[in-house]
Amino acid sequence: MSDVGNDHIKIPIKPRSTGWGGKALLVCALALVMTIPALFVWALIADRSSRSDKVVREVSAMQGGAQQVLGPVLVAPYTIPAKPGAEAITDWYVISADTGTANVAVKTDTRKRGIFEVPVYSAVVDISATFSAPPAAPNLPAGAVVDWSRAQVVLGFSDLRGGKLDPVATVTTPAGESRLAFAPASGINLGKPGFAEGVASESGRYNSGGEGGRFGLVSAPAAPLLNGGALKTKLTFTGAQRVAVLPFAKATQVSISGDWPAPSFDGGFLPTTHVSKDGRFTANWSVPFMARGMADQGPSGAVSIGELGQKDLGVSFLRTNNPYQNVIRALKYAVMFVGLVFLTFFVFEALSGRRLHPAQYILIGLAQMVFYLLLLSLSEYIGFDLGFIIAAAATVGLIGLYAGAAFKAKRYSVQALVIFSAVYGLIYLLMRLEDFALLTGSLAAFVGLSVAMWLTRNIDWYGGKAESAPMPGTSAP
C-alpha cells in the first residue's frame, strides 16, 4: 500500500470578508469618532462666547450695567444702648411708602466693540409715593431710640455712574409744598441689591451694580414728610441689558415701556399686562402688600434691599439672534446628523455595490464639523440666518458633489444634494423650535433610520451581495 502524501493537496482558502455587517459597525464607530472634533468646536464656541461676555461686561460697566431702581423710602438712625460687656448697636430704621408708582420710559440702542454688540439704554423714571407719619412706637427692641431729626428720604438705582441728572423731588403735605434736592447718600448702608432668582444674562447671572456691589443711593432730609405727605420725583440714567424696579412701597404699581423689539419680562413677578407690537413694548405690574411678603417698616435687616431685589419687576434686552447659543444648540445634535449623513452614504454603498474607504467617511465627517466653524465665524459678522444659509449651502454642495464622484454616478450626487439639504434644513428647524426641538429631532432620527432599514432589508449582513430595491426615482444599478 503506497503512501500518498498530503503535501500536494491544496485546499483553497476563501479570504474572510468583513461583509456588510462589519462595514455597518465600522460606520457607526466612525460616527462616534466624530464627537472628538465636535468637542474641539464646542471649546472654540465657548472661548468666543466668553470673549463676547467680557466685552458685554466692559461696555455695560461704562453705561451703568443692569440697573435696578429703588423708589423712595424713609430711613432714620437708631441706637440700642450698650449692655454690660457689649457695645451699643447703631443701625437704620426703614419705613416703606404706603403707595408707590414708577413709570419707566426706555430708549434702547446697541453699542459695538469690534464684532460684538451690547444692548444699552437711557431711562427716565417718573416716581410718586405717599407716606404716613412715622409710628410712635417703632418696631424695635425695648430701649432703642430713633433719631428722627436725622431722618432721610432715600432712593436710587444700582450704579450711580449711570446717572444723567441730579434728582429733585416735590413734596406735598397739609402744610404746603416744598422741594428736596438729593445728593449721594453718605453713611447709609441698606445692603447689596441682589437680583431675582432665575434672572440671567445670555451666559449667566447679572452682576450687581454699584461700587463693591452696593446699591447706589441718594438722599435728602425727610423733615417735610415726618407728618405724612406725597412725593414726586424723576430719575434719569443709563444702563445696559436690563432695567427693573423694586417693589419699594406697601402697594407698588410699575409700568415699563420702550422700543426693544423682543423684550424678556422677568424678575420676582410677571407683568399683569404687556403688549409688544411694531418694535415697541409696554408692561404693567401691580404688587400688593401681601404679595410683597415683607414688613412695611423695621430695621434694615427686616426691610432688606437685598430681599426686595429678589422680587424686582424687570425687562431684559437680550439679543434675539445670539450666534453662540444657536451654534451650541445645533452642535448638541451633531452626532445624530453625522450619523444620518453616514447612513445615507452607507445606503448608497449598498445600492451601488461600490465600497467607500473609512478614510472617505472621515473626510465627510470633517466636512460637517467645518460647517459649524463656518456657521460660527459667519454668524459673528453677518448674522445667524444668512450665515447658516451660506455655511449649509457650501457644506451640502461639497458632500453632494463628493457623493457623485465617489460612486461614479451623477444620480447619487443629485440624491445626496436633496437628502442633505433636508438634513440641514432640519438642523435649522431644530434651532428655531426650542420647545419642540427634542420631539422633532427624535421623529427625524426615527424616519431616517426606518428608511435606511427598509432600503437595506435584503442585504446579506454576513458578507453576501446586497439585493436592495433601488431608491424611488432611480433604476437598479
Side-chain angles (χ1 to χ4, degrees):
M1 187 174 185
S2 60
D3 295 332
V4 179
N6 295 326
D7 56 346
H8 67 284
I9 300 176
K10 296 181 179 179
I11 302 175
I13 300 175
K14 185 178 180 180
R16 182 175 178 85
S17 172
T18 56
W20 291 105
K23 185 60 177 289
L25 293 176
L26 178 60
V27 169
C28 292
L30 291 175
L32 293 176
V33 168
M34 286 298 105
T35 58
I36 297 175
L39 291 175
F40 284 103
V41 175
W42 192 297
L44 180 60
I45 296 172
D47 178 70
R48 299 297 295 176
S49 180
S50 176
R51 169 61 181 157
S52 174
D53 291 340
K54 182 180 178 182
V55 171
V56 168
R57 288 193 298 269
E58 291 174 352
V59 175
S60 295
M62 291 186 286
Q63 286 290 121
Q67 298 279 29
Q68 288 179 308
V69 177
L70 172 66
V73 295
L74 288 179
V75 300
Y78 71 89
T79 303
I80 299 177
K83 295 181 179 180
E87 296 182 356
I89 298 175
T90 301
D91 200 353
W92 293 91
Y93 192 79
V94 182
I95 301 176
S96 301
D98 294 333
T99 62
T101 62
N103 297 315
V104 186
V106 178
K107 182 176 178 57
T108 61
D109 195 2
T110 301
R111 294 290 174 85
K112 289 187 176 182
R113 175 176 290 183
I115 62 174
F116 303 109
E117 297 181 349
V118 183
V120 299
Y121 61 85
S122 57
V124 177
V125 187
D126 290 308
I127 299 174
S128 61
T130 60
F131 289 88
S132 299
N139 183 23
L140 288 171
V145 178
V146 180
D147 186 356
W148 295 111
S149 65
R150 295 169 56 196
Q152 301 280 311
V153 182
V154 173
L155 53 83
F157 42 89
S158 301
D159 194 337
L160 294 181
R161 290 176 296 179
K164 296 304 176 185
L165 291 175
D166 293 327
V168 176
T170 300
V171 176
T172 304
T173 66
E177 189 174 279
S178 59
R179 292 171 66 83
L180 298 178
F182 287 86
S186 177
I188 300 177
N189 176 18
L190 301 181
K192 296 183 180 181
F195 288 95
E197 291 296 331
V199 176
S201 67
E202 295 170 10
S203 62
R205 291 181 62 84
Y206 287 113
N207 292 324
S208 298
E211 187 68 25
R214 298 191 182 280
F215 213 89
L217 300 177
V218 293
S219 64
L225 283 172
L226 291 182
N227 292 318
L231 179 148
K232 291 185 178 181
T233 188
K234 179 182 293 185
L235 295 176
T236 304
F237 56 88
T238 60
Q241 294 188 283
R242 184 175 188 260
V243 63
V245 179
L246 276 60
F248 60 92
K250 291 173 62 176
T252 307
Q253 304 284 333
V254 173
S255 174
I256 304 179
S257 60
D259 56 359
W260 191 256
S264 175
F265 305 111
D266 50 40
F269 299 90
L270 291 177
T272 53
T273 61
H274 65 87
V275 177
S276 296
K277 186 178 181 181
D278 299 330
R280 297 194 61 83
F281 72 91
T282 300
N284 300 286
W285 288 261
S286 179
V287 182
F289 186 31
M290 174 180 61
R292 192 176 93 144
M294 183 187 298
D296 61 326
Q297 58 182 277
S300 60
V303 187
S304 168
I305 300 300
E307 188 173 344
L308 284 177
Q310 297 293 324
K311 302 175 181 180
D312 65 4
L313 321 170
V315 178
S316 294
F317 311 114
L318 304 181
R319 289 173 291 177
T320 57
N321 210 8
N322 185 333
Y324 308 109
Q325 286 185 338
N326 289 327
V327 177
I328 286 178
R329 190 178 298 129
L331 196 60
K332 290 178 180 178
Y333 294 91
V335 174
M336 184 185 79
F337 288 111
V338 169
L340 287 175
V341 172
F342 280 12
L343 188 60
T344 302
F345 274 90
F346 178 76
V347 171
F348 286 173
E349 282 193 64
L351 296 177
S352 67
R354 183 179 294 275
R355 294 292 189 105
L356 292 185
H357 192 274
Q360 292 177 285
Y361 278 96
I362 292 177
L363 289 175
I364 295 165
L366 290 176
Q368 291 178 272
M369 293 301 106
V370 172
F371 159 75
Y372 293 105
L373 294 178
L374 286 173
L375 177 59
L376 175 63
S377 57
L378 290 172
S379 297
E380 289 184 329
Y381 288 94
I382 61 177
F384 179 79
D385 291 334
L386 185 57
F388 185 93
I389 291 173
I390 296 174
T395 306
V396 169
L398 174 62
I399 57 181
L401 294 175
Y402 187 75
F407 293 107
K408 308 299 182 183
K410 289 185 178 179
R411 68 174 182 273
Y412 288 113
S413 179
V414 174
Q415 292 169 1
L417 288 173
V418 173
I419 294 172
F420 299 149
S421 294
V423 168
Y424 279 82
L426 178 61
I427 293 177
Y428 185 83
L429 184 64
L430 288 178
M431 286 181 289
R432 286 292 175 257
L433 298 176
E434 297 183 14
D435 295 334
F436 300 97
L438 180 58
L439 176 61
T440 305
S442 301
L443 292 175
F446 179 80
V447 171
L449 184 60
S450 300
V451 172
M453 291 173 67
W454 176 256
L455 293 175
T456 59
R457 65 190 183 280
N458 294 323
I459 286 182
D460 180 0
W461 294 100
Y462 286 100
K465 187 176 179 180
E467 300 178 356
S468 303
M471 297 183 72
T474 66
S475 59

